[in-house]
């Protein structure tokens, strides 16, 4: 018979049509039963019904909807029937078996099993496919019970595992033949495939073949499943599972072998796994992961023979030397695409695992440098650890980096290039430490590697590899900077070179802006660190270290226009250096006042430029803070004697400016003068236990607030109101404390809850009020 369709598709089409015919037959039989019941009822046929009517009465059609269709209800009934028969068979075999003689037992089981296996053929002829499936399931279960009964009666002394292996083989063959004879049934063939997985592994266990023998049994079974999977797709699942189990057994045995000779048998098993995986991917492109698993198995097989004779680190190198050449499969056009993909993937997996193992060995060596922070400039750099990873880790990282670089050249993806940069940097940066070179040589090599990474980042044009190089350069700079704190000379040399390199990077115009900005930040940071180191060497008190540190923001302020695109990040970092200077000088009021004044000078000098006029406010605040620190050191308790002579002319100057320029802001005209008196007086009032100062300050703040409201001036209104509120809080605080102490403890939480509820209930209104207030304040001058 000729057909335009492939056999598998034609078979599926026939099965679908048979299923549709079975469903149609079931519907017609149900319809026939309903018509017969209708005809048997006297007077049940309404007038006007004739042969042409093909549906049930309208009232019946409008009745309640059925919760389950006829086929689903049938399947439930058949399943329950099969389960009950299976339970009865189990009970008969396990409980009632001993009450019958040998002949009776054999006759009963033979007759019942034969009937259960023969019935599906008759049922299929009548179109009862679901019933046939259920009865066939019972028949298959009965064959299992027959095997158990044969063992229990005829061979009770036989080895149970060996007998199970033989019985599984026989059952698999019987079920396969039965399923082939009745192809319409769906259960026998899958059951035969499942049973076929047991004979060889169970036989290996019965013969005490050991882990390798069990591995070979699993592998042979997997190979048979793989061959069967070419026709029956369901067999691919047990093939993958058993093949993976054989692989794991081989890997465990290979890695636990104590000599090269003992590693040969596991290597043979692993090579067989490799061959099976490659052949499977060759025949079926969709299972290309089988070639990947096979490639990994081959690497472990070959390198596992040399592993017992090598140290742990060099064993990783051996695996890389065997596995990385698999990457070349991508350039072999003679191989099928699935095999190329799988084998190259195996090379990637081996390279990644090797790089991770080497990186895990190197990381503790680099992190160990943090111990220098426990005692700076102690010159206690330890020698190389004789039990450390040694040069093997660096070699492994270099091999992985080289493979990643080659892969980046033959592929268009950015990931291999990033991996090549990171792995190469890690190998070269850690190599001098792993080799135990002298300290000077270690710093020289690491500075060179860090500089090379920085140059690569600057010249990369912002590509992914350049970003990775920038990260490596930053990590290397931090690590070598921490290591340099072990000695004074090393600190100055390393930090100076890194600072100069960062400055050069910030000045490199073709580089990306974010890279230049980062380099500028690092350059300012290293300059600050060097000045702190210089101050520490000079044996000055810590409070005097602030003066050298202030040279950094001063230099940045002078060089501001020449910094170009990196000006803002450099100035922000310089501001941080200024804050550090203030923190260093905080231990002595006189030094703090001097540092504040010098910081004000730096800000005032920078504010000369139009684009930095905002720094004028910072300069004024710093000058005022310096003056008040000096006054506090002198024991001044009446700040008004020093502030009022400044406030009066400042307010007069502000008044004159407002007369010349009506659009001038009240903050510019009156803000400095009012703040010069109100804020210091407020601080003094909070520390004053009397009543005169708070009263006078409150009255003055009230007058300033009213004047601001009268003339619609923002600065007097807000400054006066804030000071007045602060004075009121200061005066009411003792009474609030007394009242709070007298109230029960549950009252404050209750009041807070009521307040929250009120605010929440009128949230929208409060929000509108806040917006109106903000708009009103914004309209003030």
């Amino acid at each position: 018979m000729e057909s335009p369709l492939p056999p598998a598709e034609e078979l599926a089409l026939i099965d679908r049509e048979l299923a549709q015919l079975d469903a149609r037959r079931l519907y017609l039989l149900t319809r026939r039963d309903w018509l017969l019941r209708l005809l048997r009822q006297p007077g049940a046929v309404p007038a006007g019904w004739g042969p042409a009517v093909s549906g049930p009465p309208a009232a019946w059609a409008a009745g309640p909807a059925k919760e389950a269709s006829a086929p689903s209800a049938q399947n439930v009934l058949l399943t329950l029937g099969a389960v009950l028969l299976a339970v009865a068979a189990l009970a008969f075999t396990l409980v009632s078996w001993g009450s019958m003689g040998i002949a009776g037992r054999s006759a009963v089981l033979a007759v019942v099993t034969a009937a259960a296996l023969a019935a599906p053929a008759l049922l299929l002829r009548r179109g009862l496919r679901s019933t046939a499936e259920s009865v066939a399931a019972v028949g298959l279960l009965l064959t299992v019970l027959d095997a158990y009964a044969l063992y229990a009666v005829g061979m009770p002394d036989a080895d149970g595992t060996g007998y199970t292996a033989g019985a599984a083989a026989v059952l698999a063959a019987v079920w396969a033949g039965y399923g082939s004879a009745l192809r319409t049934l769906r259960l026998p063939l899958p059951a035969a495939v499942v049973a076929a997985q047991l004979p060889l592994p169970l036989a290996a266990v019965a013969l005490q073949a050991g882990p390798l023998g069990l591995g070979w049994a699993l592998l042979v079974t997997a190979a048979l499943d793989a061959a069967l999977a070419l026709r029956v797709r369901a067999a691919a699942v047990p093939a993958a599972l058993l093949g993976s189990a054989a692989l794991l057994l081989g890997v465990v045995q290979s890695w636990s072998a104590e000599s090269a000779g003992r590693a040969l048998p596991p290597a043979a098993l692993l090579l067989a796994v490799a061959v099976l995986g490659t052949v499977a991917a060759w025949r079926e492109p969709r299972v290309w992961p089988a070639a990947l698993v096979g490639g990994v198995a081959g690497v472990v097989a070959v390198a596992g023979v040399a592993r017992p004779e090598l140290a742990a680190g060099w064993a990783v190198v051996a695996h890389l030397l065997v596995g990385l050449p698999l990457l070349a499969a991508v350039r072999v056009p003679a191989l099928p695409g699935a095999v190329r993909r799988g084998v190259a993937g195996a090379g990637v997996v081996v390279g990644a695992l090797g790089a991770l193992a080497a990186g895990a060995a190197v990381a503790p060596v680099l992190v160990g440098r943090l111990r220098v922070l426990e005692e700076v400039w102690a010159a206690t750099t330890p020698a190389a650890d004789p039990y450390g990873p040694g040069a093997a880790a660096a070699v492994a990282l270099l091999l992985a980096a080289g493979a990643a670089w080659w892969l980046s050249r033959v592929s268009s993806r950015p990931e291999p290039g990033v991996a090549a940069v990171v792995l190469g940097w890690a190998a070269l940066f850690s190599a001098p430490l792993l080799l135990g070179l002298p300290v000077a040589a270690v710093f020289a090599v690491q500075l060179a590697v860090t500089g090379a990474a920085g140059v690569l980042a600057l010249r990369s044009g912002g590509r992914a590899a350049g970003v990775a190089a920038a990260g490596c350069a930053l990590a290397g700079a931090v690590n070598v900077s921490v290591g340099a704190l072990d000695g004074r000379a090393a600190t100055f040399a390393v930090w100076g070179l890194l600072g100069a390199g960062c400055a050069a990077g910030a000045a490199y115009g073709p580089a990306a802006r974010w890279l230049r900005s980062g380099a500028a930040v690092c350059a300012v940071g290293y300059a600050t660190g060097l000045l702190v180191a210089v101050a520490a060497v000079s044996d000055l008190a810590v409070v005097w270290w602030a003066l050298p540190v202030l040279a950094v923001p001063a230099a940045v302020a002078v060089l501001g226009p020449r910094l170009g695109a990196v000006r803002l990040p450099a100035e922000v970092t310089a501001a941080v250096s200024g804050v550090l200077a203030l923190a260093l000088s905080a231990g002595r009021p006189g030094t703090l006042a001097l540092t504040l004044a010098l910081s004000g000078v730096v800000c005032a000098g920078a504010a000369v430029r139009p684009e930095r006029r905002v720094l004028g406010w910072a300069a004024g605040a710093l000058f005022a803070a310096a003056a008040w620190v000096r006054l506090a050191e002198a024991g001044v308790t009446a700040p008004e004697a020093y502030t009022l002579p400044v406030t009066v002319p400042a307010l007069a100057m502000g008044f004159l400016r407002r007369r010349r320029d009506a659009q001038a802001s009240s903050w510019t005209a009156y803000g400095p003068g009012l703040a010069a008196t109100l804020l210091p007086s407020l601080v003094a009032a909070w520390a004053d236990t009397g009543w005169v100062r708070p009263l006078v300050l409150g009255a003055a703040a009230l007058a300033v607030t009213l004047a601001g409201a009268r003339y619609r001036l923002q600065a007097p209104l807000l400054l006066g109101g804030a000071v007045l509120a602060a004075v009121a809080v200061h005066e009411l605080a003792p009474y609030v404390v007394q009242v709070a102490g007298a109230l029960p403890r549950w009252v404050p939480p209750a009041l807070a809850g009521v307040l929250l509820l009120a605010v929440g209930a009128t949230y929208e209104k409060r929000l509108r009020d806040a917006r109106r207030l903000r708009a009103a304040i914004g309209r003030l001058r």
Side-chain angles (χ1 to χ4, degrees), residues 174-198:
V174 172
W175 293 351
Y178 184 70
S180 299
L182 300 176
R183 289 186 175 274
T184 308
L185 297 178
R186 300 178 180 178
L187 183 61
L189 288 178
V193 172
V194 173
Q197 312 306 310
L198 302 178

Side-chain angles (χ1 to χ4, degrees), residues 68 96 176 206 349 565 606 624:
S96 303
V349 170

Side-chain angles (χ1 to χ4, degrees), residues 153-450:
V153 176
M155 295 177 288
D157 298 329
D159 179 63
T161 306
Y163 178 81
T164 304
V170 173
L171 289 175
V174 172
W175 293 351
Y178 184 70
S180 299
L182 300 176
R183 289 186 175 274
T184 308
L185 297 178
R186 300 178 180 178
L187 183 61
L189 288 178
V193 172
V194 173
Q197 312 306 310
L198 302 178
L200 291 179
L202 291 178
V205 173
L207 296 175
Q208 298 180 355
L212 284 179
L214 178 59
W216 279 107
L218 292 172
L219 182 60
V220 172
T221 306
L224 296 176
D225 290 333
L228 181 61
L230 297 176
R231 294 188 176 182
V232 182
R233 294 182 180 178
V237 176
L241 294 177
L242 296 183
S244 301
L247 173 64
L248 291 178
L249 285 174
V251 170
V252 171
Q253 293 301 308
S254 177
W255 285 352
S256 62
E258 299 176 355
S259 63
R262 294 187 177 182
L264 288 175
L269 175 61
L270 291 171
L271 288 176
V273 173
V275 172
L276 177 60
T278 305
V279 172
W282 200 300
R283 292 295 304 274
E284 180 54 59
R286 287 175 294 183
V287 296
W288 65 266
L292 188 151
V293 175
V296 174
V299 171
V300 177
V302 176
V305 176
R307 185 203 56 79
E309 312 299 333
L310 300 173
W314 292 107
V316 175
V317 175
H319 283 77
L320 289 175
L321 289 175
V322 177
L324 292 179
L326 297 179
L327 295 172
V330 297
R331 303 299 296 271
V332 182
L335 294 176
V339 177
R340 289 201 307 270
R341 184 180 181 185
V343 173
V348 172
V349 170
V350 172
L353 293 177
L356 287 176
V362 167
V365 178
L366 299 179
V367 175
R369 277 185 160 177
L370 296 178
R371 290 176 294 180
V372 174
L373 298 176
E374 299 175 359
E375 190 175 359
V376 178
W377 290 353
T380 57
T381 300
D385 186 2
Y387 302 101
V395 173
L397 290 173
L398 281 176
L399 288 174
W405 175 83
W406 180 86
L407 196 60
S408 68
R409 304 288 292 180
V410 300
S411 66
S412 58
R413 299 185 62 86
E415 292 85 357
V418 173
V421 170
V422 174
L423 295 175
W425 169 84
L428 297 176
F429 189 83
S430 60
L433 284 174
L434 299 175
L435 295 174
L437 297 181
V439 176
V442 170
F443 284 135
V445 173
Q446 291 185 336
L447 285 173
V449 174
T450 302

Side-chain angles (χ1 to χ4, degrees), residues 425 453 457 465-477 514-515:
W425 169 84
V467 176
C472 292
L474 179 60
W514 66 271
L515 281 172

Side-chain angles (χ1 to χ4, degrees), residues 600-698:
V601 171
V602 173
C603 290
V608 173
R609 299 186 176 92
E611 69 276 8
R612 293 293 184 266
R613 289 290 172 80
V614 68
L615 292 178
W617 291 93
L622 289 171
F623 286 138
W628 285 115
V629 169
R630 181 66 69 182
L631 292 175
E633 182 185 16
V636 174
T637 59
E640 292 81 5
Y642 299 91
T643 59
L644 286 175
V646 175
T647 296
V648 173
L651 292 178
M653 294 295 294
F655 176 76
L656 293 176
R657 180 176 180 180
R658 287 273 297 173
R659 289 191 63 180
R660 291 195 306 267
D661 183 10
Q663 301 299 322
S665 172
S666 63
W667 287 102
T668 304
Y670 303 120
L674 292 174
T677 294
L678 292 178
L679 297 182
S681 298
L682 179 61
V683 174
W686 270 80
D688 195 348
T689 58
W691 59 273
V692 177
R693 186 191 302 275
L695 178 61
V696 175
L697 179 61

